Amino acid sequence: MNSPAPHELPGLRGDTAARGRLGALTGLLLPAAVGALNVFAFAPFKLWPLQILALAWLFHGVIAAPAGQRHGVRGHFLRGWLYGFGWAAAGVHWLYISMHDYGGMPAWMAALAVALLALYLGLYAGAATALAGWLRERWSSQPLVLALCMLPALWALSEWARGWIFTGFPWLVSGYAHTVGPLAGFAAVGGVYGVGWIAALAAGALALLWMSLRRKGVAGTGQRIILPLCVVALLCAAGVVLRQVQWTAPQGRPISVRLLQGNIPQEMKFSNDALVYTLTLYEQMISAAPADLIATPETAIPLLPQQLPPAYLARIARFVQTSQSHLALGIPLSDGPQVYANSVLGFGPGVGSELLPYRYDKHHLVPFGEFIPPGFRWFVDMMHIPLGDMNRGAPVQSPFGVKDQWVLPNICYEDLFGEEIAGQLRDAYRAAQPEASVLLNLSNIAWFGNSIALPQHLQISQMRALETGRPMLRATNTGATAVILPGGQTSELPPYTRGTLAAQVQGYGGQTPYVLLGNKLVVGLAILMLLLAWGRNKAARIRH
């Protein structure tokens, strides 16, 4: 009678199956967990090296995988997808608060909506790693080329694509982690996607280093260790040097600003019972003291002008005129039946009466919150979103003159799109029109509660200041109301308090490389890196 082979024994078969299931579970959970660690690289934690280290782990999985591995491309996609899912789920979990706590959506449906969004956002990371694995096989690319040319380029292109496909959702793309640290100097040159590309280069170098350290006893290991360390050191040194370059210069005289934070609870903001209180509060806050620029949050006045009490705007305009102030007032406007805009009205001594003020209309609208994608009206109706379907403003709108400065407003979500703000500055410069010297963001993100959404949004505004070389002012309902200098330094009010942030702000003029080129530079360089990788493969084939 033959004895069973050791691996055929029932107990061992069970142990092997259990280990297999455990390995499969680890293979699913580990990428998502490493991706989720990214949230600590961003505000309010700002542990920016974590972003590079986590990405290096993801890149290492592609670089160190055996060539010709069966189902390799599918595995790279799954690993990247789960990594991106964990990143997005941890980073934007606060969307649950807006949908459930304020929108009245059932808890399970709100959680499912966040999960589906995170799964969608993870597709971009999955596409980058899968394409890198596929090109590696087709081009027989060496680890050095894969780590320093192909993976960083594909990562940058995937994040850029995430910023515009389906109107874009570039929240927490890699570059935002580096508003502090040595890589911030690249913002004025390549914008947030350029910073993300540089971070991916550093991650690729660290992935190479990791692979070299694991290959003990291989000839040339010392050289393979020195090169990645030199790449990381050079990138950090270049960022520090670029941070010292003054791309823009002071323009005109400083202006006094008062940024109002009303701290109106979101559940009260559009309540009929609280409207009188809200209107009275903001009228008192506006008229409490003069300033060259007074700014309220987004939709601080939650009614259309024709719905306001008689003479309400006239009283505000009269204060502005007599005190020689300028006011940027967040208010919805209507140009006809069911035609709404999320707007800023600007009043000032030289602007005219309350009947003909300066006007800025929000251009980049929030899906579901401000415009309804086809087939999703049921979702907006379920969320009970006031004014949930709005008209877009023009892509390029003139700035608001405030004494020696020109103030360019943007509303809430719009400051996620640095290329659009840079485009407005660039178009004004080329057309010899007034060039904005100060950026102003009016926001209401009380929808997301006292969560990390507030400091994350402040960090996004910091990136816009770094990209454009201009101060960014933020007037918000619950926070973060802040003055951000061109170098990214901030002063702010404590969130979820009522108050006014007063400051002297110096405007800046001139063009950073990012304002002049937008995202063309980083997209072009990424494509060039891929072409170089392809060319190297073709040359190697010719030699052989």
Side-chain angles (χ1 to χ4, degrees), residues 66-90:
Q69 187 181 51
R70 187 183 180 190
H71 305 312
V73 173
R74 189 184 306 171
H76 293 322
F77 171 77
L78 182 61
R79 183 183 176 97
W81 188 23
L82 291 171
Y83 175 91
F85 165 77
W87 184 341

Side-chain angles (χ1 to χ4, degrees), residues 243-416:
R243 193 70 184 268
Q244 311 310 312
V245 178
Q246 300 297 316
W247 301 103
T248 56
Q251 173 179 297
R253 290 171 295 180
I255 58 173
S256 61
V257 302
R258 294 178 60 239
L259 306 174
L260 311 184
Q261 182 171 290
N263 196 33
I264 304 293
Q266 187 59 38
E267 62 269 21
M268 291 176 55
K269 185 172 175 63
F270 294 97
S271 166
N272 290 330
D273 296 335
L275 285 175
V276 173
Y277 169 78
T278 299
L279 297 178
T280 302
L281 171 68
Y282 274 110
E283 184 175 2
Q284 291 174 347
M285 294 183 76
I286 290 167
S287 57
D292 294 331
L293 175 63
I294 304 168
T296 76
E298 173 191 17
T299 58
I301 307 302
L303 296 176
L304 300 170
Q306 54 268 37
Q307 297 172 322
L308 290 171
Y312 181 83
L313 287 181
R315 289 196 304 271
I316 291 176
R318 190 159 49 248
F319 164 77
V320 168
Q321 294 278 347
T322 57
S323 65
Q324 295 294 293
S325 301
H326 296 76
L327 170 66
L329 181 68
I331 186 171
L333 299 177
S334 176
D335 296 315
Q338 303 302 311
V339 179
Y340 304 109
N342 190 351
S343 303
V344 177
L345 288 184
F347 301 92
V351 178
S353 72
E354 72 275 11
L355 299 178
L356 191 61
Y358 166 87
R359 176 174 172 175
Y360 173 88
D361 293 338
K362 188 174 184 180
H363 163 67
H364 203 122
L365 303 179
V366 181
F368 306 107
E370 292 173 326
F371 81 91
I372 304 174
F376 281 92
R377 177 165 289 279
W378 63 272
F379 183 88
V380 174
D381 292 342
M382 179 181 293
M383 285 279 290
H384 307 294
I385 298 174
L387 306 173
D389 199 10
M390 295 187 170
N391 279 18
R392 301 177 189 275
V396 178
Q397 301 178 57
S398 62
F400 178 34
V402 179
K403 291 196 169 179
D404 287 350
Q405 306 300 331
W406 290 95
V407 178
L408 181 63
N410 57 84
I411 299 177
C412 197
Y413 181 76
E414 285 188 306
D415 72 343
L416 268 74

Side-chain angles (χ1 to χ4, degrees), residues 471-492:
M472 169 73 90
L473 311 179
R474 288 177 50 85
T476 70
N477 180 22
T478 55
T481 297
V483 173
I484 307 171
L485 301 182
Q489 305 89 340
T490 65
S491 57
E492 60 182 293

